[in-house]
Amino acid sequence: MAHLSFLFLTLLGHIASTVYAAPITSRAGTTATTPVSISAADVSSKFGRAAEFSRVSYCSSAAVTSWKCGPPCDSLGKGIEVIQAGGDDGLVPMYFVAHDPVTQSIVVAHQGTEPSNILSILNDAQFLLTGLNSTRFPAAKDGSIKVHSGFQKTFERTADGVLAGVQKALKATNVKKVVVTGHSLGAAIATMDAVMLKQALGSSVSVTTTVFGLPRGGNQAWADFVDAALGSTLTRISNQNDPVPTVPPRFIGFQHPQGEVHIKAVDAKGAATDVVVCAGQENENCSEGNSVLKTSIPNHLGPYFDNISFGGASCPL
Ligand SMILES: *[C@@H]1O[C@H](CO)[C@@H](O)[C@H](O)[C@H]1NC(C)=O
Ligand SMILES: *[C@@H]1O[C@H](CO)[C@@H](O)[C@H](O)[C@H]1NC(C)=O
Ligand SMILES: *[C@@H]1O[C@H](CO)[C@@H](O)[C@H](O)[C@H]1NC(C)=O
């Protein structure tokens, strides 16, 4: 846990500097549009399965490939078929590609990076923005689209495997839907995956992306690129006073894509009791408006809703 607290101290340091560098009012790219409530039932039906798959991504590869990970696997019901699993639980975070017979879709789920990997990503001056790989994303040719270099490095370690796995899975099952999900740094990788898959799979395959506790992954041009590629098919769920969605800070050039759904309250049973849909890329009435004095590291792990939490402790197997 020492590494994890290092991460959060680093993150909190950046949050503190944001306050000095940029006043909360009237910043470009920010909206204060009043968010619209969404019912707990809608949250469960729209995002519940993705959350359960993201929770499973923290289980060991053996438990995932055999689909014997205890309650996190059991809660998804019978018939899930893992078509490919990758990563090494080390430098390359785990991911899996599975067929979900309930929704007739191919699911790609990314594990959040383990504490030692988080350290290696955030250390090493990798907080910097770097050009998006224009071989993979030809739209990035003019160099204006910049992403977090550590996230891109991590993404590149599994990108080819994810793409090949999804193409194989679509062929084998003949379904036309792909669902991409992940939590924390896994959410950042999942978002890059989704843009890659959308570009590579063509319009006959739908790609839906639901991520949890997403940190900012790139600059304004990246946020606009994600919006153009994914639009309303991307949902990024933020939980109460989790500091992670507010870093890296905007004053060093980072910006979120649209699609935030913000959880404002969760009861003692892990049920979300106040959830809102937030317009715009950065909405002051959602996580962008969180007070730096009230950040909560436990809010990053959960529970988010339906008593679903993420991280190694949520899947000990
Ligand atoms: C939204 O944010 C604006 C600016 O911070 C604030 O004046 C307004 O009261 C907020 N609305 C809601 C519903 O929280
Ligand atoms: C960029 O993407 C291509 C695949 O399109 C890949 O082969 C290459 O390794 C990537 N470059 C970097 C620096 O990751
Ligand atoms: C919520 O989940 C935790 C494990 O993650 C469990 O210990 C607890 O009993 C659950 N609470 C309810 C109300 O189901």
Side-chain angles (χ1 to χ4, degrees):
M1 286 314 273
H3 287 163
L4 202 54
S5 18
F6 166 84
L7 161 73
F8 286 114
L9 288 176
T10 308
L11 296 178
L12 292 172
H14 282 285
I15 293 166
S17 4
T18 316
V19 175
Y20 298 116
I24 280 294
T25 48
S26 64
R27 273 179 290 162
T30 306
T31 167
T33 309
T34 303
V36 181
S37 288
I38 172 170
S39 72
D42 278 355
V43 170
S44 301
S45 69
K46 288 184 175 160
F47 312 122
R49 255 184 120 67
E52 290 179 321
F53 276 106
S54 273
R55 177 169 61 185
V56 169
S57 70
Y58 278 97
C59 306
S60 70
S61 10
V64 171
T65 25
S66 60
W67 209 253
K68 289 199 173 98
C69 69
C73 286
D74 298 342
S75 74
L76 280 155
K78 292 199 187 329
I80 311 276
E81 187 196 352
V82 176
I83 293 170
Q84 180 171 314
D88 60 5
D89 281 331
L91 200 60
V92 187
M94 271 278 301
Y95 74 89
F96 64 87
V97 177
H99 175 235
D100 178 8
V102 173
T103 56
Q104 276 302 310
S105 55
I106 299 304
V107 179
V108 180
H110 266 280
Q111 186 189 51
T113 320
E114 288 302 321
S116 57
N117 297 330
I118 291 169
L119 244 193
S120 73
I121 287 173
L122 286 184
N123 263 344
D124 221 14
Q126 291 193 46
F127 233 93
L128 299 171
L129 286 164
T130 188
L132 179 66
N133 182 350
S134 63
T135 313
R136 194 177 294 286
F137 300 99
K141 235 172 218 127
D142 73 0
S144 62
I145 304 176
K146 295 201 180 336
V147 290
H148 183 291
S149 64
F151 296 171
Q152 173 155 264
K153 264 189 195 156
T154 309
F155 158 76
E156 283 293 348
R157 288 187 187 118
T158 54
D160 291 334
V162 167
L163 180 56
V166 169
Q167 282 167 329
K168 183 175 119 191
L170 288 170
K171 217 169 163 190
T173 57
N174 210 23
V175 306
K176 296 281 175 215
K177 276 192 288 188
V178 176
V179 172
V180 188
T181 189
H183 165 254
S184 190
L185 298 180
I189 310 311
T191 304
M192 300 192 77
D193 273 2
V195 176
M196 167 182 75
L197 292 169
K198 184 76 203 159
Q199 172 189 279
L201 300 177
S203 55
S204 65
V205 176
S206 77
V207 178
T208 306
T209 311
T210 305
V211 293
F212 303 87
L214 176 73
R216 292 193 182 95
N219 67 356
Q220 179 71 58
W222 164 251
D224 295 343
F225 183 57
V226 173
D227 284 355
L230 306 182
S232 61
T233 63
L234 168 70
T235 304
R236 51 180 186 90
I237 300 180
S238 58
N239 185 25
Q240 301 172 86
N241 293 305
D242 176 6
V244 173
T246 68
V247 294
R250 295 180 67 204
F251 83 93
I252 60 167
F254 284 82
Q255 178 84 3
H256 267 308
Q258 66 182 30
E260 182 175 11
V261 167
H262 186 56
I263 298 168
K264 295 173 80 171
V266 177
D267 71 15
K269 290 179 173 162
T273 54
D274 186 1
V275 184
V276 294
V277 177
C278 317
Q281 294 181 328
E282 301 278 357
N283 193 316
E284 286 177 17
N285 295 118
C286 294
S287 57
E288 168 68 357
N290 278 355
S291 164
V292 296
L293 302 175
K294 283 202 290 196
T295 57
S296 160
I297 287 153
N299 283 172
H300 183 55
L301 298 174
Y304 280 61
F305 58 87
D306 296 350
N307 200 30
I308 296 171
S309 295
F310 306 103
S314 299
C315 193
L317 289 178

